Amino acid sequence: MRAVIQRVSHASVSIGGAVHSAIGEGYLILLGVCDEDTAEDVEWLVKKIANLRVFNDENGVMNRSIIEVGGEALVVSQFTLYASYKKGNRPSWFRAGSHEHSIPLYESFCAQLGEAIGKPVGTGEFGADMQVSLLNDGPVTICMDTKNKE
């Protein structure tokens, strides 16, 4: 799994011109799934993101997790995180997971992250044409890949 985690002041995802989900302070997470990903990848990524200390403490130092600040999360499926761009100029998506494999892992990730942070997670709609709006705070943007855990 690949995730792009952005610390945001607010974020939303719209589908067909209507806001589907919106959050205040927290994380906008773009999540890509490949066919090799497993439930263990979901668990590792949820734990890492929930405990990531990138929110400011009372001294202005990035030392608090999303749990500690009571932040929210919005997770948007993003198969393009698995783009292959080595040949030519048009990316291919052969490394992205199939819908049958990816949707259950995406849904599991959202549910487990919601449990970890103690509040429901906003979502996009898997496979939909979505418009994402955000105000990146910092900016803080971190990329994670469960195939590079060390």
Side-chain angles (χ1 to χ4, degrees):
M1 293 185 122
R2 291 183 177 165
V4 175
I5 303 110
Q6 298 178 76
R7 185 179 76 179
V8 298
S9 297
H10 58 82
S12 65
V13 61
S14 297
I15 301 169
V19 174
H20 183 76
S21 292
I23 63 165
E25 179 186 40
Y27 290 143
L28 168 65
I29 301 168
L30 305 176
L31 185 70
V33 179
C34 72
D35 282 330
E36 292 81 37
D37 290 329
T38 66
E40 289 77 30
D41 291 307
V42 171
E43 291 170 16
W44 181 87
L45 194 57
V46 164
K47 184 176 179 183
K48 204 67 163 164
I49 292 172
N51 293 293
L52 189 64
R53 295 174 16 191
V54 296
F55 290 92
N56 293 341
D57 63 15
E58 62 280 351
N59 298 315
V61 177
M62 288 194 290
N63 200 29
R64 290 195 174 146
S65 70
I66 190 170
I67 298 167
E68 293 170 303
V69 300
E72 299 177 280
L74 173 59
V75 181
V76 177
S77 62
Q78 189 73 36
F79 75 93
T80 61
L81 292 177
Y82 279 97
S84 176
Y85 46 83
K86 293 185 181 197
K87 211 172 179 185
N89 293 315
R90 183 174 181 207
S92 65
W93 320 113
F94 70 91
R95 295 193 60 217
S98 67
H99 276 68
E100 296 76 25
H101 181 76
S102 299
I103 291 172
L105 290 176
Y106 169 78
E107 291 174 348
S108 177
F109 176 85
C110 293
Q112 288 183 45
L113 183 62
E115 289 175 21
I117 68 172
K119 54 183 66 176
V121 168
T123 63
E125 183 178 307
F126 199 93
D129 180 22
M130 297 174 275
Q131 291 70 49
V132 179
S133 297
L134 67 134
L135 180 58
N136 193 318
D137 181 20
V140 175
T141 302
I142 296 174
C143 300
M144 292 185 183
D145 190 323
T146 59
K147 303 307 182 254
N148 296 319
K149 294 178 184 170
E150 297 181 24

